[in-house]
Amino acid sequence: MASFDKADIEKLIDGVLPWPATQEMLKSSKDEDRFDKYVEIMQERVDFDDPILLPLTPMLFIVNDKGSRVVKCKCGHSFGDYRVNWKLSALIYVRDDEEKLRQVYVGREMPDPAWLQLREYVCAGCGSQLEVEAVPRGCPPDFEFLPDLDTFYREWLGRPLPDTCEFKDATLDKINEWSN
Amino acid sequence: MSATASSTTSNTPLRDRMHANDEAFKTTGSVFGLTSLARKEDDPGTYEAVWHILSNLCNTAWATGCKVSSSPIAAEGGDALWALHTATGEAVCISRGISAHAGLLSDMIKHFIELGYEDYPGFKQGDIFENNDPHYGGIHSPDFDMCMPLFYQDRLVAWASCVSHVSDSGSVTPGSIGFLNPDCYSDGIPISMERVGEHDAFYPWYEMRIRSRTRTPDFVMGDARGRLAGCITVRERLHEVLDKYSLDFVLDAMNEYVEDSRRYAVKRVKTQTVPGRIRKSQFKDLAMKGKRVLLSKQNIDCMFNLPMDLTINADASVDLSLAGASGTVPFGENISPTALKSGLMMGYSHVIGFDMFNSGPTTAWNVEMPPGGSWANPYPVDYQAASGVAWAPAVTWLSSLYEVFGRLFQMRGFVEEMAAGSGSIMTAEFAGINQTGMYLTGLTLEQASQGSPARGYSDGQNSAWCIYTPEGDFGNAEVSELYYPILFLGRNVAPDSGGFGKFRGGLGHTAVWMVYNTPGLEYQCGDAGMRSKTVGNHGMYGAYPTVPDRPGYGHKTNLKQLIDEKKPLIHERGGPDNPAVTSKIIAELAEDSAVAPFVTPEALVDYDVIVHPISGAQAMGDPIERDPESVVSDLNEGWTTERVASEIHGVVTTQPNDHIVADIDATVKRREQVREERKQRAIPFREWWSEERKKVEAQENMDNAVRVMWETSMRLSPEYGESIRKFWNLPEDFTFTPDAD
């Protein structure tokens, strides 16, 4: 089983690992400790101390915040319960007319705003652009991934988390709150 | 050694063996009930060696068959595939080429067995069976699927199979990308689960049918002979392998390769992904209103809903649903579930099961049948649905699979395995008399060489990849010029065609052709999976998706005059707001931003120009995170523009000499400013939702194609519809209302 230095994994993440070493990583059997090393690297790079449970994206992390599992940006801004689509707690900028779309796509490259809106999800803390959606009006935001965290830790990693949390999509609960 | 359901000494009818295999899988969770891999464990060296021999045998068939074929699509583009199967149809290994078909070929063999063909007309050495009919599992009429039973010592021990994409399928319009076909009756020549030859030769009436019902019969028959030659190659080489390694060993090993591959895929899911639920929306346009169409019902614009709802279970099995898929369209862009699943098998092999590409990995899926009457499951609700280019929505949907698994790999830290979404597939097809006086119709292979997706650690590669084949190969320009009455004026890397992100997708290219030496040529800018009104929903980690597909052309130009006067011609596309087709030449009809797909309103003539762009692939990451040095490198290469560098990536540059350099300090300041501007202009999601839900309910600024899409999606998948109503807090009886006809 292959094993890679943490320093090389960091270089890979930063896109500066030389190609022969990258190829070696691609070809080798995967290292069993990668997840732990990756989390360790990310933990060193974020601006908060809460332990990372899962790197949801390179910028967003599910963390244990004093017993609660919440999504946090690298900068520390919190998006709340990981079972609610974090986008509901983000800032959003929507390009749904030609003027706004033209700032990204000019001339013949511009899509038709009657067919598509470009939704930019922004962190209120650091201003990072976290996701962009290109969908027609009416499309709910994609909840790209709801992890089954307890199964992951208990059955796949073999080390259960100290507490458990029901695996359910709670996004519509939040919408219900807003609707009422 | 564990007992196998598919015993190598069994004389049991194939259909019974197939059912026993299914039962064994249900009971044990292992393909053929193989709870251990005895041959692999006993003799791993020979096991591995035979795998490579069998794979190479398929590749030999590919090389032989493509050369025998002689059609430009196979001979130059390699657009074909050969495979070796078990006696019960599971694909064991495949050649290079269009790997999307392996599942179709496997299902076709199983279908022949299930339908009782073993009893009538029977299987014997030298029989040739074919299908291209979507009603019986085919993908689309130009893809002729063939299989031949392979006998050894008087026993049916395996199957050889092949698919080749013919240059003309006899559909209502010339060529093989029949997006304009209004119904299945216009899809072209059907070969409906037929025995088309015996004793290694086609029936005379098979050739007679092709001669009377396709426009390029010499090429179509050439392809048929190429398929046959490749399958015979498989048979002959397999005999050598069986003589050398013994029948028992090879047949056992063939079964084990399939189960081995399943185990590999399951293990990969478990060790490199995370259990949970994934949702990815995807959409595709087909805007045909006001264009040259065949029937009045086609004078419409369409939008496809291509949702991907995927769950990774605790046992690493994968559930997949297309709930929400929109309704069929009156064009050749509907696909049978069998064909869709085959495409999925290919996509999955790229991202998960690529150690041994065969039927194994897909056995760990539970694919929910797509909603009846949707583009992904048209029959029998819309029995007349056309499938002329059924790949179009399928590959666009499949693009989500790359991003979805890229996200999962990231979560486990396997950054080297990440990929963003794919490029789109816009084809160029010609029909007319060529320079030798020969009528010709067919594809160029330009679209088979797109940019590759951005990786977690780097940009994608330029013109090096294609979603439907592992080999990005657009063939030689000079050979295309021999077949078609065109001359290449340019083949250029297309700037800014790989999206905008921390890592960009590999760039696509633009082909610039001049029509030459023909009395008239039809240019069909085809849809094999492109977008023209929209962009892909591939804003992975904050990137902007690739630009829409917008080709151009100039009709009745001044090119001859420019040539005579030895003046500069048109060799590239020009900027998005400075197109070469209108700024560098004069034309009576100049179109730089045509909404694809389309057929030119009238035949093109000598010295007309076509500007055909090929997509780059998708990017990932916040564009202002892109290394400023990568941005200036692209600027110096001519691969990006000053506007994108400055306004999208926030890079400030200077040009002290001929070379552009980044001003790092100014860039850091500019990027801080961009972050602040973003926070200022964006609003809390809840605030937006409160206003947006009113616009959704009022169906404000929603094109009719979008409303039709939502209406059919919600009707065909009631639970999906309910989730949309709940999200926007819409009335219980709310439906989107398309325009009255």
Side-chain angles (χ1 to χ4, degrees):
Chain A
M1 190 63 68
S3 180
F4 298 105
D5 290 341
K6 194 174 146 190
D8 279 347
I9 297 170
E10 290 211 66
K11 284 182 192 165
L12 177 75
I13 294 166
D14 294 333
V16 295
L17 187 69
W19 175 236
T22 307
Q23 259 190 321
E24 204 52 46
M25 276 191 185
L26 280 161
K27 288 190 297 188
S28 301
S29 315
K30 295 303 179 193
D31 32 331
E32 284 183 348
D33 59 356
R34 178 72 70 91
F35 178 69
D36 292 335
K37 282 181 179 165
Y38 188 59
V39 169
E40 203 178 307
I41 292 165
M42 290 302 182
Q43 195 78 58
E44 289 164 6
R45 293 182 173 201
V46 295
D47 297 337
F48 54 79
D49 295 326
D50 310 311
I52 293 172
L53 300 176
L54 188 75
L56 203 53
T57 78
M59 291 297 290
L60 295 174
F61 305 87
I62 299 176
V63 306
N64 182 345
D65 181 1
K66 301 177 191 70
S68 299
R69 298 176 187 176
V70 300
V71 175
K72 280 196 174 180
C73 178
K74 205 171 179 177
C75 70
H77 181 80
S78 179
F79 294 82
D81 185 349
Y82 80 105
R83 297 170 307 164
V84 177
N85 190 348
W86 62 267
K87 291 173 181 169
L88 272 61
S89 302
L91 296 179
I92 184 169
Y93 181 67
V94 181
R95 299 179 191 276
D96 53 4
D97 61 35
E98 288 192 5
E99 190 187 339
K100 290 176 188 162
L101 283 168
R102 196 176 295 122
Q103 292 163 357
V104 179
Y105 299 108
V106 300
R108 64 170 172 249
E109 296 178 345
M110 190 160 63
D112 188 331
W115 293 61
L116 168 135
Q117 49 184 219
L118 208 61
R119 303 172 183 165
E120 299 168 2
Y121 294 92
V122 173
C123 173
C126 62
S128 291
Q129 188 158 289
L130 300 169
E131 294 284 350
V132 171
E133 288 179 339
V135 295
R137 170 160 285 156
C139 185
D142 284 332
F143 191 178
E144 275 99 0
F145 190 57
L146 172 65
D148 184 353
L149 270 185
D150 288 302
T151 295
F152 177 55
Y153 271 87
R154 186 180 59 245
E155 296 183 32
W156 288 26
L157 297 181
R159 46 173 204 255
L161 292 167
D163 55 348
T164 58
C165 194
E166 188 190 357
F167 174 53
K168 68 166 270 197
D169 183 346
T171 306
L172 285 179
D173 296 345
K174 179 74 118 181
I175 293 292
N176 283 340
E177 279 176 34
W178 292 356
S179 302
N180 297 324
Chain B
M1 193 173 102
S2 65
T4 69
S6 187
S7 165
T8 56
T9 56
S10 172
N11 290 319
T12 313
L14 291 171
R15 186 161 53 186
D16 293 346
R17 287 170 63 184
M18 210 165 65
H19 293 167
N21 290 343
D22 293 343
E23 199 53 43
F25 180 71
K26 273 186 208 159
T27 309
T28 64
S30 301
V31 187
F32 308 118
L34 284 169
T35 51
S36 66
L37 302 178
R39 295 294 187 181
K40 182 180 184 181
E41 287 156 17
D42 291 349
D43 188 354
T46 307
Y47 179 84
E48 192 71 16
V50 170
W51 163 259
H52 287 287
I53 291 166
L54 295 179
S55 294
N56 283 330
L57 166 161
C58 292
N59 283 329
T60 306
W62 179 86
T64 307
C66 285
K67 292 306 173 199
V68 169
S69 159
S70 81
S71 89
I73 296 172
E76 189 57 21
D79 208 40
L81 178 90
W82 278 262
L84 173 68
H85 303 254
T86 65
T88 47
E90 290 77 13
V92 174
C93 54
I94 65 167
S95 70
R96 59 183 299 192
I98 40 176
S99 54
H101 290 261
L104 273 161
L105 295 167
S106 174
D107 280 339
M108 174 180 64
I109 294 167
K110 285 178 174 293
H111 204 182
F112 277 121
I113 295 171
E114 191 62 48
L115 290 173
Y117 279 46
E118 188 177 15
D119 297 326
Y120 182 78
F123 297 142
K124 65 179 186 302
Q125 192 85 300
D127 280 353
I128 311 165
F129 292 90
E130 284 197 344
N131 181 60
N132 73 344
D133 188 337
H135 286 89
Y136 303 105
I139 168 78
H140 64 153
S141 57
D143 282 339
F144 280 56
D145 296 331
M146 172 192 283
C147 62
M148 293 181 76
L150 307 183
F151 286 74
Y152 184 78
Q153 296 170 354
D154 297 327
R155 278 183 50 201
L156 193 161
V157 296
W159 293 80
S161 74
C162 170
V163 59
S164 51
H165 182 118
V166 303
S167 57
D168 183 80
S169 57
S171 61
V172 66
T173 56
S176 60
I177 303 295
F179 69 89
L180 270 175
N181 302 353
D183 53 41
C184 65
Y185 311 109
S186 56
D187 271 343
I189 181 171
I191 311 288
S192 304
M193 300 295 288
E194 297 176 31
R195 186 172 72 187
V196 295
E198 291 176 272
H199 312 297
D200 294 344
F202 291 103
Y203 295 134
W205 49 90
Y206 175 78
E207 179 163 354
M208 289 157 72
R209 181 158 38 139
I210 282 174
R211 293 212 169 275
S212 70
R213 281 293 172 265
T214 66
R215 297 173 181 85
T216 53
D218 289 335
F219 284 146
V220 177
M221 273 314 295
D223 282 336
R225 294 188 184 103
R227 288 193 297 279
L228 180 58
C231 285
I232 291 172
T233 302
V234 170
R235 186 177 72 205
E236 291 182 350
R237 296 295 170 91
L238 180 66
H239 274 224
E240 292 169 15
V241 178
L242 294 172
D243 289 344
K244 184 169 180 182
Y245 292 96
S246 88
L247 179 66
D248 283 349
F249 181 90
V250 175
L251 293 196
D252 285 347
M254 282 167 60
N255 284 357
E256 288 188 19
Y257 297 138
V258 180
E259 166 61 9
D260 205 355
S261 190
R262 183 198 69 80
R263 292 181 185 195
Y264 174 85
V266 170
K267 188 173 178 190
R268 195 144 188 252
V269 168
K270 195 155 190 172
T271 56
Q272 295 171 42
T273 72
V274 178
R277 184 182 174 192
I278 298 131
R279 270 196 165 173
K280 184 72 193 165
S281 301
Q282 204 57 258
F283 302 90
K284 174 188 148 37
D285 56 79
L286 174 60
M288 296 302 296
K289 197 166 188 173
K291 295 182 189 172
R292 182 178 161 188
V293 291
L294 297 167
L295 298 179
S296 58
K297 68 176 181 180
Q298 295 182 298
N299 186 27
I300 57 169
D301 291 338
C302 304
M303 181 81 141
F304 292 82
N305 189 358
L306 317 159
M308 184 172 281
D309 189 337
L310 197 142
T311 300
I312 297 182
N313 299 304
D315 63 358
S317 63
V318 179
D319 298 343
L320 188 65
S321 166
L322 271 111
S326 50
T328 55
V329 294
F331 296 95
E333 300 203 359
N334 307 288
I335 186 170
S336 71
T338 306
L340 187 78
K341 204 171 165 184
S342 181
L344 190 61
M345 173 174 161
M346 175 211 60
Y348 202 59
S349 75
H350 288 185
V351 297
I352 285 288
F354 49 65
D355 192 39
M356 290 176 172
F357 185 168
N358 60 35
S359 294
T362 58
T363 59
W365 296 343
N366 309 302
V367 183
E368 185 182 295
M369 188 59 86
S374 69
W375 60 268
N377 187 13
Y379 317 126
V381 177
D382 183 357
Y383 197 78
Q384 300 187 2
S387 311
V389 58
W391 285 122
V395 293
T396 318
W397 173 71
L398 263 181
S399 179
S400 293
L401 199 70
Y402 293 80
E403 182 185 322
V404 157
F405 275 88
R407 287 173 181 273
L408 291 165
F409 293 141
Q410 185 279 142
M411 291 176 211
R412 293 293 291 265
F414 294 106
V415 175
E416 72 274 23
E417 299 293 338
M418 293 163 65
S422 80
S424 55
I425 303 175
M426 187 172 73
T427 52
E429 200 161 33
F430 298 115
I433 306 290
N434 76 2
Q435 60 274 28
T436 64
M438 174 186 180
Y439 176 85
L440 216 144
T441 181
L443 274 172
T444 72
L445 269 296
E446 294 297 316
Q447 81 283 350
S449 196
Q450 309 157 1
S452 68
R455 309 302 307 266
Y457 56 90
S458 76
D459 294 342
Q461 290 183 305
N462 299 350
S463 301
W465 192 81
C466 178
I467 190 169
Y468 65 79
T469 171
E471 284 88 33
D473 185 352
F474 51 24
N476 290 299
E478 294 81 0
V479 176
S480 292
E481 289 173 338
L482 284 177
Y483 284 101
Y484 305 113
I486 56 168
L487 294 173
F488 276 79
L489 299 186
R491 237 182 192 177
N492 310 289
V493 172
D496 293 330
S497 58
F500 312 126
K502 176 181 179 182
F503 296 117
R504 60 161 171 74
L507 302 175
H509 74 280
T510 302
V512 183
W513 296 304
M514 182 180 80
V515 177
Y516 188 61
N517 228 342
T518 176
L521 185 69
E522 286 213 331
Y523 162 56
Q524 179 171 284
C525 178
D527 175 8
M530 42 67 52
R531 297 180 181 88
S532 209
K533 303 281 277 186
T534 65
V535 297
N537 184 27
H538 278 301
M540 187 176 185
Y541 304 149
Y544 289 114
T546 57
V547 300
D549 299 296
R550 292 288 181 100
Y553 61 92
H555 183 40
K556 297 182 182 170
T557 73
N558 66 334
L559 241 69
K560 183 171 188 321
Q561 184 189 342
L562 293 174
I563 292 168
D564 290 344
E565 295 172 0
K566 298 185 178 176
K567 288 188 174 169
L569 305 177
I570 171 174
H571 300 289
E572 70 293 304
R573 194 177 187 197
D577 44 10
N578 182 31
V581 79
T582 51
S583 64
K584 294 213 167 172
I585 60 171
I586 298 168
E588 281 187 23
L589 174 61
E591 175 62 81
D592 170 61
S593 184
V595 173
F598 62 89
V599 183
T600 43
E602 56 185 272
L604 300 181
V605 296
D606 283 0
Y607 302 104
D608 280 1
V609 169
I610 299 165
V611 179
H612 191 88
I614 299 300
S615 166
Q618 305 291 348
M620 68 168 80
D622 187 339
I624 64 166
E625 291 283 324
R626 184 164 176 74
D627 181 354
E629 297 301 338
S630 297
V631 175
V632 294
S633 169
D634 281 354
L635 277 171
N636 285 313
E637 289 282 357
W639 292 353
T640 190
T641 50
E642 183 54 42
R643 181 191 74 86
V644 170
S646 162
E647 295 175 25
I648 307 286
H649 293 297
V651 173
V652 180
T653 59
T654 59
Q655 192 165 0
N657 43 46
D658 285 347
H659 214 64
I660 300 167
V661 295
D663 181 335
I664 300 296
D665 290 341
T667 296
V668 170
K669 281 183 194 156
R670 172 67 193 130
R671 287 178 166 183
E672 274 311 309
Q673 201 181 346
V674 170
R675 288 175 190 278
E676 282 309 310
E677 286 167 5
R678 284 175 178 171
K679 287 196 279 185
Q680 292 305 315
R681 74 183 176 207
I683 58 172
F685 184 91
R686 182 176 180 174
E687 207 175 295
W688 174 74
W689 175 86
S690 298
E691 291 306 310
E692 182 68 9
R693 62 161 303 285
K694 293 176 199 162
K695 294 175 186 171
V696 173
E697 188 170 0
Q699 305 177 49
E700 189 177 312
N701 194 28
M702 295 172 78
D703 191 275
N704 186 53
V706 174
R707 283 177 278 129
V708 170
M709 177 198 74
W710 284 130
E711 190 277 323
T712 58
S713 287
M714 293 170 72
R715 178 164 43 82
L716 297 176
S717 301
E719 279 186 34
Y720 177 88
E722 196 53 26
S723 70
I724 289 179
R725 284 187 199 95
K726 281 184 176 166
F727 186 83
W728 297 113
N729 190 24
L730 299 169
E732 283 179 16
D733 59 350
F734 176 84
T735 54
F736 288 94
T737 46
D739 292 343
D741 288 337

